[in-house]
């Protein structure tokens, strides 16, 4: 089950189970803001089938479903430091994966798909936004119709493929102020890490 843990100093820690949308269902928390808002996925029943649905949890409203415009199933992977936005991935009706982002403050809004080439897939793996003024940055991968994966970031101007050597099969797994990091596969088949200057 998804859980949020807080440690108020010498008073000891406190764990809070977040639950799911269906009794006894599974859930996982994937990110938390400084205010204690958590995001992740929780099981729900859709036409009698258990599926993963993205959620936002906060103390005032409890577990809230993040609405996906093109899909039923999905998950949230991160939330901004101060809770202004969140990002994740959904499975569209055509079966392809699609990265998305949503505004959380001042109110939770419907997820917006991130730019993806036609017939390609996209997956959000990490996000960064320190406050509502800073630009949202999402990292992850783009997958072409043959299955080759390319490290990618999404910002104000849409998506950018990070130039990595090797055969592709690359992904962005971390974001800093002006750098991205991740992994790619060399021609020989071994996996390597990379750091890329986003500026």
């Amino acid at each position: 089950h998804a859980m949020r843990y807080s440690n108020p100093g010498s008073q000891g820690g406190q764990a809070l189970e977040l639950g799911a949308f269906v009794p006894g269902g599974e859930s996982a928390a994937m990110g938390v803001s400084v205010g204690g808002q958590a995001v992740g996925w929780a099981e729900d029943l859709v036409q009698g089938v258990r599926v993963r649905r993205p959620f936002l949890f906060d103390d005032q409203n409890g577990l809230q479903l993040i609405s996906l415009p093109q899909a039923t199933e999905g998950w949230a992977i991160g939330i901004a430091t101060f809770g202004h936005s969140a990002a994740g991935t959904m499975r569209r009706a055509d079966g392809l994966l699609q990265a998305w982002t949503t505004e959380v403050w001042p109110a939770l809004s419907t997820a917006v798909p991130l730019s993806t080439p036609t017939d390609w897939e996209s997956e959000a793996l990490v996000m960064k936004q320190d406050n509502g003024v800073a630009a949202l940055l999402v990292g992850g991968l783009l997958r072409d119709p043959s299955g080759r994966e390319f490290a990618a970031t999404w910002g104000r101007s849409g998506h950018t493929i990070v130039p990595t050597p090797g055969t592709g099969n690359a992904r962005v797994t971390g974001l800093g102020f002006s750098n991205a990091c991740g992994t790619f596969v060399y021609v020989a088949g071994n996996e390597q890490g990379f750091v890329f200057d986003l500026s």
Side-chain angles (χ1 to χ4, degrees), residues 103-149:
E103 295 297 317
V104 174
W105 187 88
L108 182 60
S109 62
T110 299
V112 176
L114 293 173
S115 65
T116 304
T118 303
D119 297 327
W120 287 41
E121 289 186 294
S122 57
E123 291 186 50
L125 300 175
V126 63
M127 69 163 289
K128 178 174 177 52
Q129 185 183 37
D130 293 327
N131 56 56
V133 177
L136 172 67
L137 186 62
V138 176
L141 64 92
L142 288 167
R143 185 180 296 112
D144 73 15
S146 73
R148 183 175 175 182
E149 297 174 347

Side-chain angles (χ1 to χ4, degrees), residues 17 24 28 30 50 79 89 106 115 118 149 151 156 164 168 181 189 193-194:
E17 187 175 316
M30 309 294 285
R50 286 189 182 209
I79 185 168
T89 302
S115 65
T118 303
E149 297 174 347
R156 291 182 183 172
T164 56
C181 67
F194 72 84

Side-chain angles (χ1 to χ4, degrees), residues 29-44:
M30 309 294 285
V32 65
S33 72
V34 295
Q37 300 158 295
V39 295
W41 62 264
E43 279 189 328
D44 195 5

Side-chain angles (χ1 to χ4, degrees), residues 32-57:
V32 65
S33 72
V34 295
Q37 300 158 295
V39 295
W41 62 264
E43 279 189 328
D44 195 5
L45 281 176
V46 177
Q47 299 176 347
V49 177
R50 286 189 182 209
V51 297
R52 293 181 177 187
R53 308 286 296 273
F55 73 76
L56 168 69
F57 176 90

Side-chain angles (χ1 to χ4, degrees), residues 47-68:
Q47 299 176 347
V49 177
R50 286 189 182 209
V51 297
R52 293 181 177 187
R53 308 286 296 273
F55 73 76
L56 168 69
F57 176 90
D58 62 37
D59 292 323
Q60 183 177 5
N61 301 300
L63 201 66
Q64 303 169 76
L65 177 68
I66 296 174
S67 178
L68 303 176

